[in-house]
Every structure is written in structure tokens, then in C-alpha cells.
Amino acid sequence: MSFGLHEVSVRFGPRMALDRVSLTVDPGEVTVVVGGDGAGKSSALAALVGLLRPETGRVSRPPKSDLGYVPASAGLYVDLSVEENIAFVASAYGVPASQRDARADTLLERMGLTSARRRLAGALSGGMQRKLAVVLALLSEPRLLVLDEPTTGIDPLSRVEIWRLLSTTAASGVAIVVATTYVNEAARGTSAVLLSDARVLTAGAPEDILATVPGTLRTCPRRPEGPVSAWRRGSAWRVWSDQDVTTPTCERVEPDFEDAVVIAELAQELER
Amino acid sequence: MWAIVAKEFRQLRRDRRTLAMMILLPVLLLVVFGYAASFDVHNIPTVVDGPLARQAASRLSAPFEVTRVDPAIGLAGAREQLRNGTAVVAVLATSGDVAILMDGTQLFSVQTAERALSRQAIAANSPGGTVQIQVLFNPSLSTSWVMVPGLAGLILVFIGTLITSLGVVKERQNGTLEQLAVMPFRASQVIVGKIAPYLLVAALDLLLVLGVGIGLFHVPFVGNVGTFALGSALFLLVTLGIGILISTLSQNQGQAIQLSFMLMLPQVLLSGLIFPVSSMAPGVRWISYVLPLTYFIDISRGVMLKNAPFSTLLVPLGMLGLLALVVLGLAITRFRSDLAPDVRAAHDEPAEETSP
């Protein structure tokens, strides 16, 4: 059974937090929700887990006992130790003590937190806190796992480890929704939903999104003269046009996900 | 420096609650407490009993306010009238002898009554007879005997209101309240789980305060423990309810502390803990009657000092019950919608689909 949002709108006073947003995730899949700050990622996840009531639209999710959620704030008890946080979550979800210890050992080991077991959660670094939050969310073996920016503020090695853990978790049949501001992480999901200004800009499998990028993308050593859509990538410039054009000093390139996100926004602006 | 001053004013303008506390509250407090803060007793509810009750009653003048004259009532009846709070002074007039009984738990009323009696003619007009004054329930007019039962209540207000609201707001600030909302708990389980520890700590605290009061200040406990426990439990539920209500109105611990103090201050000054409720101006006296501490003090002083029977405490017990119902009901409703606006299904349902 798939979970997700169907045409969900959420309003905070006069401001739309979500405008007819849809996203689905099937068991065994990872849906990555990408977008800048204030795009509506957290609102989408909050609506999915039931923390926000949609004004219109439909939400489908498993019962709470099958739901794991990591909020953007990590949601840890900072005045409890790592072990005490684990004990609380395990008892809240009714995980038997025998299974709890084995699962916690494995997850802590994978996240490199074994030596921090007795430390207060509040005394851990920001990155370690986020890793602990992922451990807690996985402890009850949920059917739907929802993570709000689990990799923000985490060192690159740990980010890789978190994504590896999420992939193996998905492989065991769990449906996973991850929000991230790191555009390149979208390629790690089975599907991606790109949010901008409370709306879905584009959605689909990462390769489909890349294959359907409109117009032409070129890389140029300098910013071309005149009114063009251009942005810096490393030492060169990316130039996009919705027409098929060629320039002598520029070279045509296949867009990666980062380019696709920028182009999707530019294309939408052009439509307006 | 001006940049800081300008920034500070800008921030202050945004924080309406602090601004209101700084400007409106002092004026409001001054007016309310100016009318309430009075040790002067102008009316002392008085009953006149005994065969010569009518003659004796005619000789009494202000501050004695004769509420009842009953020649058929004797000494035991007069004691009962003081015990159940019908009056503060009972005058028992029998063939020339006059016995005046006073309720020692009403410290300021008794002191005023003693001063007034020395001026009034009730003694002079009973030739051949004697006048005997007897202070009941607190014969030495000890302040601590009257204060300790009230202070016990004040400590419960402190724990119930401030500590509970801080405990809940801390969860909100740390983002763990969201986590609790998503976990397989019902809203009622979250509320009870959050309240129960504070209820227990407050109950232990109450025992401790009473123990110290009795051991150190020799405050008596002559009444029924069960009645006292019932009153305390109801009172605690009200204060915990207020604590939760405050937590639903506060985004951070600073706001919770502000609101708690705004609600605690009137309880200190208007509940009868310090100033007698009967001395307050009628315009502010009604505030006393919506404060839970007013009723707890009635119960704790009544049980501990006067051995007041259950039936005479029905009004304060009933009022605390009513307040508990209203405050807790409101707090739970707000907390529930705050906690999980879109989680309507219980955790044992197979899957959930919601649409507005």
C-alpha cells in the first residue's frame, strides 16, 4: 500500500504553506522532497505525519505505531542519555526489551554512536544528534519513515552512512520520505519531488526528471553578454535557454540534478 | 548605542505580552490590590443565642453584623455555628451572664471584635452578670496556625501552575512535543503521562509542608484527613489544569513564567491568604470567588483548625470540583488540538486516510 499526499493544501493565515501538493511513496521506495528554505518541505512532511491539518486534499499514512518521524529539530530529549532516549522510544512503540537491545546495538554501531551510549543527548554534536534521531525513528521498524532534513549539518562521511542506512532500510520494504536542501541528494531516491514556493515544480524518478529537462544547457568560460539565464557552477558558467541555440565558446552539457532544479524554476518563471 | 535602543524598542513592540505587563499590569494591580489590601474589618458576622438573645442583640452595634438571633440555641449550638462558618462571633446570653465565642481562624476579625467589645456596652449592661470571651480553634491567635494551611495551598499553586507549564513548554521548545504527537499515544495518554509525575511530586510536597507546619510551628490537624485529601486533590487538578492551559498559550518558557506569575499574584493577595476576603471592596471581592486558592484555604483551615464537618465544606469542595472540570476541560481541549490536529484515528487501526 502506498502512502502520501494527494492535492493537499495547507494555509497559515493568509500564506499558503502547501498549494495542491501531491507526493506518493511505495513500500521499498525512497521519495526525496527537495526545495529551498521556505519551499514547503517541512509542511509537506508535517501534513503527511498528521501534525498539520490540510485545508483540502487527502492524506494516506499508516497508523501511528507503523510511523517513524524525525522532525527538523531532531526531537530528542536533550536531558536524557542516548540509552534513555532509546529506552523511552522502544517502550512507547512497545518494542520488547530483547529485540530493543539487539536493534539499538546494530543501529548505534552503523551510525558510529556506540561509544556515546551513556552521554546526554544534549551533549552530543549537532550531527550526532541527527544520527541519533534516525536511530530512534528506525528502532520500531516502521512501515513509513519520514525524515525532515536528516543530513543537514552532518559531515560528508556520515551523510553517506545515513543514506546507505536508508537504502538498506527501504530494501527491507519500508516506505521512506526524506526532505533535503541538498539538491544532489535527490538523485539518491527512487523518486523526487521538487518544491518551490509551496508548489510542486516537478516530480518523478530522478532519471525521468533529468530526461525531460526542457531547452538546452551549455557551459561557458564567461558569462555571455545580454539577457540570458546563467549561473555559476565551479569556475564556469551554466547558460540555459528554452530554445535550441549554439555559441562558439560554449559547450553543450547534459544537466545533472542541480541544473535540473534551477532550470525547473527558470522554466516556471518563463511560463508566468 | 542608539542602534541598540532602537532595536530594543522594536523588539518590545513585537512582544505585546511583555509590553502589556510593563504598562497595563502595574496600573491594574495597583487598582485591584489597593481595594483588596485591607486589614480593616468593618463587618463581623455575628450570631446571638441563648434565652436573652434578643436583648443582647439590640445592644450590639457595628462592626458586629447580627445575622441570626436564636434564643433556643445553647453553648454547643453556638460552637457549631462557628465551626461551620455561619458566623465569626457567637454571643450567648443567658440570665445576665454573657459568653462570647470567637472563631480564632479569622485573625483580623477577632482582633477587631476584641477592640470593639471593650468599647461597647454589652458588658456594662449586664449588671450582676459576667462576660466571658473565649477564642476557639486558635486560642492564642497564632499567625502561623492561620498561615500554614494557606501557604500549603500557595506551594501547590506554584508547583501546579509554574512547574507543570514549564514542563510542557519545554517539550514544545525542544520539538519533542511533535514527536509525542506522532508516537502511538492518545492525546489523553500524553496529558496524563505529563501530569501524573507533577501530581505525585505536589502531593509529596504537600505532606512535607504539612509535616513541617505541624512539627515546627505546632499547627494542629484536628479534622478529617479524607476531607482534606479530597479538597487537596481537587485543588491540585485545578492548578495542574491552569498549568497546561498556560503551556498551550506560551511558545517558550519565558512566556509561561510571565503568565504563571500573572495568575499567581492575584491568588496570593485576593484569596484570603493574607487579607480577609470580607474586608475587600465588593468591586474586587468577586475575583476572590473565582480563585481556587480561596476555596482551598476555606477547606484547609476548616479541616485542620476547626474540625469542620464534610457537610459544611460542600460549597468550597463543589466550587473546586466545578473549577477543575472547567479548567481541565478547557486545557485538555486546547492541548489535544495543539498536539495533533490531524491525528484522529487510534493506533490500533490498520491504516489511516484523512481528508478535511
Side-chain angles (χ1 to χ4, degrees):
Chain A
M1 172 182 189
S2 65
F3 307 112
L5 308 177
H6 182 75
E7 295 276 303
V8 165
S9 293
V10 171
R11 188 187 286 277
F12 292 143
R15 194 173 68 81
M16 289 301 281
L18 293 176
D19 190 359
R20 286 166 289 141
V21 167
S22 295
L23 70 88
T24 48
V25 61
D26 287 310
E29 294 193 341
V30 180
T31 295
V32 184
V33 182
V34 203
D37 297 327
K41 301 185 300 294
S42 293
S43 298
L45 267 49
L48 180 59
V49 298
L51 287 170
L52 279 182
R53 188 196 291 268
E55 195 177 65
T56 55
R58 219 175 57 244
V59 182
S60 62
R61 59 171 163 266
K64 286 162 123 192
S65 52
D66 283 329
L67 180 64
Y69 175 55
V70 178
S73 61
L76 302 172
Y77 287 97
V78 289
D79 44 4
L80 295 184
S81 71
V82 170
E83 273 180 344
E84 287 164 341
N85 269 288
I86 288 174
F88 169 64
V89 172
S91 108
Y93 284 90
V95 179
S98 53
Q99 290 177 30
R100 176 191 77 192
D101 293 341
R103 279 186 213 169
D105 286 348
T106 315
L107 289 167
L108 288 175
E109 174 78 42
R110 286 201 67 168
M111 289 288 103
L113 290 171
T114 306
S115 60
R117 296 187 79 121
R118 290 179 203 285
R119 284 171 66 186
L120 288 184
L124 301 178
S125 71
M128 288 167 95
Q129 288 188 355
R130 301 207 71 80
K131 289 197 276 184
L132 176 59
V134 175
V135 170
L136 295 179
L138 283 171
L139 205 61
S140 63
E141 297 187 337
R143 280 165 58 205
L144 172 64
L145 179 62
V146 180
L147 307 104
D148 197 353
E149 301 194 24
T151 54
T152 300
I154 287 195
D155 67 84
L157 276 179
S158 299
R159 270 164 71 179
V160 171
E161 191 50 49
I162 286 186
W163 274 105
R164 206 175 283 161
L165 181 64
L166 294 181
S167 302
T168 48
T169 305
S172 69
V174 179
I176 300 178
V177 178
V178 188
T180 180
T181 48
Y182 301 124
V183 173
N184 52 4
E185 287 188 340
R188 292 179 177 273
T190 337
S191 63
V193 176
L194 176 59
L195 287 181
S196 175
D197 210 9
R199 288 184 194 180
V200 175
L201 217 49
T202 176
E207 54 276 17
D208 292 344
I209 292 178
L210 291 179
T212 54
V213 169
T216 53
L217 182 67
R218 290 160 294 150
T219 176
C220 313
R222 280 180 304 281
R223 194 181 200 284
E225 300 285 320
V228 288
S229 303
W231 64 98
R232 230 181 210 296
R233 276 293 293 268
S235 57
W237 285 82
R238 288 282 210 263
V239 181
W240 177 77
S241 166
D242 58 342
Q243 313 292 324
D244 195 6
V245 285
T246 50
T247 326
T249 53
C250 300
E251 209 177 297
R252 214 178 149 138
V253 285
E254 286 304 313
D256 61 13
F257 219 89
E258 200 175 324
D259 299 318
V261 168
V262 181
I263 294 168
E265 298 221 21
L266 290 171
Q268 201 195 38
E269 266 173 39
L270 272 183
E271 267 177 38
R272 283 178 195 163
Chain B
M1 186 202 66
W2 287 113
I4 300 176
V5 171
K7 172 207 69 109
E8 209 63 35
F9 270 118
R10 240 173 235 140
Q11 285 178 310
L12 210 55
R13 205 182 59 199
R14 293 273 144 74
D15 189 358
R16 299 256 162 87
R17 209 183 285 183
T18 303
L19 204 62
M21 259 188 92
M22 286 174 70
I23 296 171
L24 288 178
L25 204 64
V27 180
L28 193 72
L29 290 182
L30 189 71
V31 173
V32 170
F33 299 147
Y35 281 110
S38 165
F39 292 116
D40 306 327
V41 178
H42 300 294
N43 300 305
I44 303 171
T46 306
V47 287
V48 189
D49 303 323
L52 301 178
R54 284 182 220 290
Q55 292 92 316
S58 66
R59 289 198 296 269
L60 282 170
S61 57
F64 298 101
E65 185 191 356
V66 178
T67 54
R68 201 169 152 185
V69 179
D70 194 339
I73 289 179
L75 182 63
R79 279 174 173 275
E80 267 328 290
Q81 284 172 318
L82 294 197
R83 192 187 303 283
N84 63 28
T86 309
V88 175
V89 171
V91 177
L92 185 66
T94 52
S95 60
D97 290 337
V98 175
I100 298 172
L101 308 180
M102 297 183 188
D103 177 356
T105 65
Q106 306 292 321
L107 220 50
F108 297 111
S109 297
V110 169
Q111 284 165 350
T112 308
E114 283 181 333
R115 277 198 303 276
L117 276 175
S118 63
R119 290 196 310 268
Q120 290 194 13
I122 189 160
N125 282 356
S126 49
T130 57
V131 173
Q132 268 192 332
I133 296 176
Q134 196 186 354
V135 177
L136 303 178
F137 316 127
N138 181 12
S140 54
L141 291 179
S142 155
T143 309
S144 58
W145 282 31
V146 179
M147 287 303 279
V148 168
L151 284 174
L154 192 64
I155 288 162
L156 295 190
V157 169
F158 182 76
I159 294 182
T161 308
L162 187 62
I163 311 287
T164 309
S165 63
L166 284 182
V168 180
V169 170
K170 198 166 105 183
E171 297 248 16
R172 190 192 308 280
Q173 251 180 309
N174 291 345
T176 44
L177 201 61
E178 277 189 346
Q179 200 62 272
L180 286 182
V182 174
M183 282 178 167
F185 293 120
R186 291 189 181 89
S188 55
Q189 288 174 318
V190 176
I191 294 171
V192 174
K194 284 295 301 180
I195 284 187
Y198 296 112
L199 196 70
L200 194 69
V201 172
L204 287 175
D205 233 349
L206 178 64
L207 288 179
L208 200 67
V209 170
L210 289 181
V212 171
I214 293 167
L216 213 59
F217 297 103
H218 310 292
V219 180
F221 195 120
V222 295
N224 186 296
V225 176
T227 308
F228 186 82
L230 176 68
S232 306
L234 288 173
F235 179 63
L236 260 177
L237 286 179
V238 182
T239 58
L240 291 170
I242 294 174
I244 295 180
L245 207 53
I246 288 174
S247 75
T248 65
L249 297 168
S250 311
Q251 286 307 314
N252 54 53
Q253 300 200 6
Q255 287 184 348
I257 292 173
Q258 261 182 9
L259 267 180
S260 298
F261 274 103
M262 277 166 80
L263 285 175
M264 274 194 307
L265 207 58
Q267 305 226 52
V268 175
L269 294 170
L270 299 179
S271 65
L273 177 69
I274 302 169
F275 307 108
V277 175
S278 58
S279 310
M280 294 172 195
V284 295
R285 197 184 301 163
W286 66 269
I287 302 173
S288 311
Y289 296 127
V290 294
L291 299 175
L293 189 58
T294 307
Y295 300 107
F296 178 77
I297 288 176
D298 278 353
I299 295 167
S300 62
R301 284 182 184 159
V303 172
M304 288 177 69
L305 306 178
K306 293 159 75 174
N307 188 19
F310 186 80
S311 58
T312 64
L313 295 173
L314 279 178
V315 171
L317 284 169
M319 281 306 291
L320 282 182
L322 187 70
L323 281 171
L325 218 61
V326 172
V327 171
L328 264 182
L330 205 62
I332 289 171
T333 312
R334 277 195 62 96
F335 188 75
R336 194 189 286 269
S337 66
D338 224 28
L339 190 64
D342 197 35
V343 178
R344 284 164 249 175
H347 61 281
D348 47 9
E349 283 186 21
E352 190 178 331
E353 207 159 281
T354 62
S355 51

